[in-house]
Amino acid sequence: AGQAAQAAQVDDCIDATEQPAAPAHLPEACEEQGPNALSGAAAAAEEAEAQERLLRPHAGTPERRPSLGSLLRRAFAALVVLPDPQEEEEEAHGPELQLTRTHSGAECAICLATLGSCVETPCGHAFHAACLEHYFATSRQPGQRPRCPYCRSSVHAPLPVEARAVSSLPLEPVAAPRRGGRCHFDRQYRFLDLGDFGRAGMLYLLSSNEDRKTASSAVMWVVEARVPCTIHLNYRSARHVAEGRQEAWLRAKGFAPNGALRSAVSSGVPNGPYSGPVYSKVLSEPGSVELMGSATWEGTYFVFIDCS
C-alpha cells in the first residue's frame, strides 16, 4: 500500500508537469531596480547592456546542410518529440521590442521601480530591459516564444543563451524544469530530483537523446552565450565519464570537477535512476562553447546554465 501511494504521488507530480504553464506572477515591489536589485549607476549600466542585447539583431548561426544520417535521426525524433501546436500557429518571427522613454513616474510592472529609458513590447507595455530579459529566461517553456509578462502576447526577443545541435536534432534552452519534468524531447525520462539546479536564473538545454552516440572527439552541441554565465555538465554516472572518454575534452575545454553541486537525479533504462559528477566552466564574458560527444548509448549528459 505504501509503494502504491508513493507511485501515485510521483504520477501526480509528472501529470502536473504536462499541464500548460500558468502565467507567471509578477514579483513583489522592491526598492531597487531590476532582478539584481541594483541602484544608481550600476542599475543604469545593467539596463543599457540589457537593452543592447534585446534590441540587437540576432544573425544566428549559419545553417549547415545536414547529412543523410542527420535527416534520418531527425525524422525519428519527430515521431516522439514534444507536441508543439503553438509554434505551428505563430509566424517565423513574432513582433519585436522597441526602445522608448516613459513619462515621469511610470513604473516597471515587474520590479515596480521608476522606468525612464526602457523597452516597450508590441502590445504597448513598458519594462526595464534587464527585468524583461530575466523574465524571458526564467519563464520560457519548450517550443514557445517569449511572451509579455503583463498580457501574454507573443514577443520576438533573443534569449541570453542560444544552442544548436550539429546533428540538427532539437536542442533548446528553457527554464530549469521542476521535479517530474522531461529530460529530453525524444524520450519519456523524467527528473526525479533537480539537485542544486532547480534555483532561479538556471536554464536547461532540453536535448534529443539520439545525440548520445556522438563520439567524444566530435562536436555534439554548440552553446552561444550572450551574457556571462556558468555552464554545468551533469553526467548520469561516474561510469559515463570513464567509458565515454570525457576527461580529455573536458580539461581541454576548461571544464573542472565541481563537487560543491549536488547532482540531478533522472529516470532511465537500464540502470536508472541516474546521478553523477558535475563539471563546470565559468564564462566571464559572452562567447561560444563547443560541447563534445557524450559517447555512450545510455544517454547524453545534462547541461544546466546559470545566468543569475
Side-chain angles (χ1 to χ4, degrees), residues 8 96 251 273:
E96 298 188 0
R251 286 194 301 269

Side-chain angles (χ1 to χ4, degrees), residues 26-30 32 106-115 128 131:
L26 300 180
E28 298 292 334
C30 61
E32 296 85 2
E107 296 180 343
C108 172
I110 295 178
C111 72
L112 302 187
T114 303
L115 277 171
H128 292 125
C131 294

Side-chain angles (χ1 to χ4, degrees), residues 279-293:
Y279 290 77
S280 302
K281 176 184 176 71
V282 176
L283 292 181
S284 57
E285 57 185 25
S288 175
V289 177
E290 292 181 337
L291 303 179
M292 310 304 282

Side-chain angles (χ1 to χ4, degrees), residues 54 97 132-140 146-147 149 155 157 159:
L54 285 179
L97 299 164
L132 198 58
E133 184 179 52
H134 181 266
Y135 174 83
F136 288 159
T138 56
S139 64
R140 183 182 179 185
R147 293 189 172 276
V155 177
L159 285 173

Side-chain angles (χ1 to χ4, degrees), residues 3-307:
Q3 291 179 343
Q6 184 178 10
Q9 184 177 10
V10 172
D11 289 343
D12 289 343
C13 175
I14 292 176
D15 290 342
T17 65
E18 299 291 347
Q19 301 301 320
H25 294 291
L26 300 180
E28 298 292 334
C30 61
E31 296 180 357
E32 296 85 2
Q33 170 183 320
N36 295 325
L38 300 176
S39 60
E46 180 191 48
E47 177 65 13
E49 292 173 0
Q51 288 178 7
E52 181 182 359
R53 289 192 296 267
L54 285 179
L55 300 174
R56 179 174 53 201
H58 182 50
T61 305
E63 186 175 355
R64 301 175 56 174
R65 183 180 297 276
S67 65
L68 177 61
S70 296
L71 291 173
L72 291 174
R73 287 194 299 271
R74 194 169 189 176
F76 170 78
L79 298 176
V80 288
V81 76
L82 283 172
D84 204 4
Q86 185 172 7
E87 188 76 1
E88 298 176 356
E89 298 174 1
E90 296 180 346
E91 299 178 356
H93 296 284
E96 298 188 0
L97 299 164
Q98 61 181 356
L99 187 65
T100 188
R101 177 170 289 277
T102 62
H103 60 275
S104 178
E107 296 180 343
C108 172
I110 295 178
C111 72
L112 302 187
T114 303
L115 277 171
S117 177
C118 58
V119 292
E120 184 178 83
T121 62
C123 47
H125 299 118
F127 307 90
H128 292 125
C131 294
L132 198 58
E133 184 179 52
H134 181 266
Y135 174 83
F136 288 159
T138 56
S139 64
R140 183 182 179 185
Q141 299 299 315
Q144 294 184 357
R145 298 190 185 282
R147 293 189 172 276
C148 172
Y150 195 86
C151 70
R152 309 297 293 164
S153 296
S154 179
V155 177
H156 178 63
L159 285 173
V161 174
E162 302 287 351
R164 67 174 178 87
V166 172
S167 65
S168 297
L169 289 172
L171 179 69
E172 185 176 349
V174 297
R178 299 178 181 179
R179 180 176 178 268
R182 291 182 83 148
C183 304
H184 303 289
F185 276 106
D186 57 352
R187 295 292 189 276
Q188 293 294 331
Y189 304 153
R190 306 283 176 162
F191 281 111
L192 308 179
D193 186 357
L194 269 296
D196 287 332
F197 298 110
R199 60 180 182 269
M202 191 72 71
L203 299 180
Y204 173 64
L205 285 193
L206 186 63
S207 62
S208 298
N209 205 40
E210 277 301 296
D211 278 332
R212 70 193 187 280
K213 302 172 186 176
T214 308
S216 60
S217 59
V219 177
M220 181 169 66
W221 301 327
V222 179
V223 175
E224 299 283 350
R226 299 164 63 90
V227 297
C229 60
T230 301
I231 301 177
H232 304 288
L233 308 184
N234 192 172
Y235 282 86
R236 295 174 187 255
S237 66
R239 184 183 66 256
H240 182 179
V241 177
E243 295 182 357
R245 299 181 179 180
Q246 301 291 291
E247 291 274 5
W249 81 259
L250 287 169
R251 286 194 301 269
K253 297 290 185 181
F255 285 88
N258 190 344
L261 290 179
R262 187 166 55 93
S263 171
V265 180
S266 66
S267 64
V269 294
N271 298 313
Y274 291 100
S275 64
V278 176
Y279 290 77
S280 302
K281 176 184 176 71
V282 176
L283 292 181
S284 57
E285 57 185 25
S288 175
V289 177
E290 292 181 337
L291 303 179
M292 310 304 282
S294 191
T296 177
W297 63 272
E298 283 191 317
T300 64
Y301 45 75
F302 303 125
V303 181
F304 295 93
I305 303 175
D306 189 353
C307 296

